[in-house]
Amino acid sequence: MNKEEKKKRHDRKKEHEKLMSKEQLTYLRRKRITDAVWPVFRTLILTGLCFVILYPLIFMISCAFRERGDMNDPTVMWIPRHFTLDAIKETARAMDLKNTLVNTLFINIGCSFCQIISTAVTGYGFARFQFKGKKILFAVVILMILVPPQVILLPQYDLFKSLGMINTAWTMYLPAMTANGIRAGIMIFIFRQFFRGLPRELEDAACLDGCGPLRTFLVIMMPNALSSLLTVFLFAVVWYWNDYYVCNAFFSSNRTLALTIKNIQPVLNAALFNDASLRVSAREYVVWTQAACLMSISPMLVMYIFLQKHFTEGIERSGLAG
């Protein structure tokens, strides 16, 4: 738009305003002020929220790559004065990162796959089949969501102890294989909601082609449930990855990253000072503890970055989002 067109448009606007009443001009002036100010406030609010949410991650990255001396330097706020990887290397060696990561993948990722399969079958059963006691059993599923795991942990511990399974991976795999693992109730609910939303005609067509219930589930329903499978997989991986309460009840040694982070102070003392009972101020540990936290959450951050789009779609299609 050139200057002449702008001037003509401005003149038409002035002429139009001359024809307006006083109330209309007041409303127009208030709307212009609101339109100019609201984007500024919206940007400030979103920036503040982002800072609050990202503050722990920013602090983690800032501390993990600085020397211990920078923690006592009041001039260092966010950017390290002496950039170094020493804290990362020392913490990885103290945590025995390779073996701990392998154990974490074996226990947490394996349990996540088992829980996805078991909860998908259970959710499909609740969505498509009529059987006696269905409402009562679904009420039990709702109770699984509402009742905290601390309530059932002691009976589970007694059961696994009587079976001689304490300190073995079976204590995590058996609940996952029977749709009774960490927060399995929410996963069953997600699958039930998703399968209820699929058209009945898919199963009717499969039945006419000679498919039984199991083949219909595997060949027809599961390929259509990929978004929900991915959503539940992300939930399961994150919950199992971050769990230390259940693992701490069944394992006496640091077998996963979450357990190692929980007991990071004696681990660092034993590896760095050769004395697990040594008492050192919390400020002295900051660079190592933040390095340990950063290494433990990095796989989850990378996974979420690549799967964020599918995760959002799965939440929308499962009916969890309003």
Side-chain angles (χ1 to χ4, degrees):
M1 186 182 293
N2 54 36
K3 290 183 178 179
E4 291 183 359
E5 289 177 344
K6 284 184 180 178
K7 187 178 178 182
K8 287 180 181 177
R9 186 176 179 181
H10 182 71
D11 293 341
R12 284 199 300 269
K13 194 174 178 181
K14 287 290 183 185
E15 291 175 1
H16 184 65
E17 286 179 358
K18 287 178 183 176
L19 301 175
M20 290 183 178
S21 64
K22 187 178 179 182
E23 289 78 12
Q24 288 174 327
L25 288 172
T26 305
Y27 171 77
L28 191 61
R29 195 177 302 115
R30 192 181 303 157
K31 187 174 183 302
R32 285 174 184 167
I33 294 172
T34 304
D35 291 343
V37 172
W38 172 239
V40 178
F41 275 102
R42 185 172 54 194
T43 304
L44 289 175
I45 292 170
L46 290 177
T47 305
L49 285 175
C50 287
F51 180 75
V52 170
I53 294 170
L54 294 177
Y55 176 82
L57 182 61
I58 297 171
F59 182 74
M60 229 179 273
I61 295 172
S62 173
C63 292
F65 296 100
R66 68 172 70 173
E67 288 185 351
R68 289 174 62 193
D70 287 354
M71 294 305 302
N72 297 317
D73 188 346
T75 61
V76 178
M77 293 297 293
W78 295 107
I79 301 175
R81 186 178 297 278
H82 304 95
F83 182 86
T84 178
L85 294 175
D86 289 348
I88 296 285
K89 293 176 182 176
E90 291 169 354
T91 309
R93 188 171 61 252
M95 293 170 63
D96 190 12
L97 186 62
K98 182 181 176 182
N99 291 327
T100 305
L101 189 60
V102 171
N103 282 332
T104 304
L105 292 174
F106 172 67
I107 293 176
N108 296 346
I109 305 298
C111 288
S112 299
F113 277 113
C114 293
Q115 183 137 302
I116 289 170
I117 296 170
S118 61
T119 54
V121 173
T122 309
Y124 181 63
F126 278 116
R128 292 304 201 203
F129 294 97
Q130 298 297 328
F131 51 88
K132 287 184 179 179
K134 179 180 175 180
K135 292 184 178 177
I136 296 174
L137 289 175
F138 190 69
V140 173
V141 172
I142 299 299
L143 284 177
M144 289 170 65
I145 300 173
L146 299 177
V147 176
Q150 292 87 344
V151 176
I152 61 172
L153 200 58
L154 281 178
Q156 278 187 334
Y157 179 84
D158 289 338
L159 175 64
F160 290 134
K161 187 178 180 182
S162 64
L163 296 174
M165 292 181 178
I166 297 297
N167 276 325
T168 67
W170 286 110
T171 54
M172 302 298 290
Y173 270 89
L174 276 181
M177 292 165 67
T178 54
N180 195 30
I182 297 174
R183 302 185 188 182
I186 295 177
M187 301 177 193
I188 295 173
F189 186 79
I190 291 174
F191 279 122
R192 173 183 176 269
Q193 293 298 104
F194 179 80
F195 286 125
R196 287 183 67 180
L198 290 180
R200 284 274 185 187
E201 288 75 11
L202 287 174
E203 291 160 294
D204 295 339
C207 184
L208 290 175
D209 289 339
C211 289
L214 179 61
R215 191 177 176 190
T216 302
F217 173 70
L218 294 175
V219 178
I220 304 298
M221 305 306 279
M222 290 299 281
N224 284 289
L226 286 179
S227 58
S228 288
L229 284 171
L230 191 57
T231 302
V232 174
F233 175 73
L234 283 175
F235 275 137
V237 168
V238 171
W239 286 333
Y240 271 100
W241 191 273
N242 293 329
D243 171 70
Y244 68 87
Y245 187 83
V246 177
C247 288
N248 194 40
F250 299 137
F251 296 107
S252 58
S253 59
N254 299 328
R255 289 200 167 202
T256 65
L257 280 172
L259 279 178
T260 307
I261 296 296
K262 177 180 176 290
N263 303 314
I264 191 64
Q265 187 166 341
V267 169
L268 290 171
N269 283 341
L272 301 176
F273 306 110
N274 294 320
D275 185 359
S277 60
L278 183 68
R279 290 184 177 275
V280 181
S281 67
R283 193 172 185 81
E284 298 290 324
Y285 281 106
V286 170
V287 292
W288 292 310
T289 53
Q290 297 306 314
C293 292
L294 183 63
M295 284 189 286
S296 69
I297 67 169
S298 295
M300 294 296 101
L301 288 177
V302 173
M303 184 181 70
Y304 186 76
I305 289 171
F306 284 103
L307 301 178
Q308 179 189 8
K309 178 184 174 184
H310 303 287
F311 176 73
T312 308
E313 289 178 357
I315 288 289
E316 290 173 353
R317 296 186 64 180
S318 65
L320 288 180

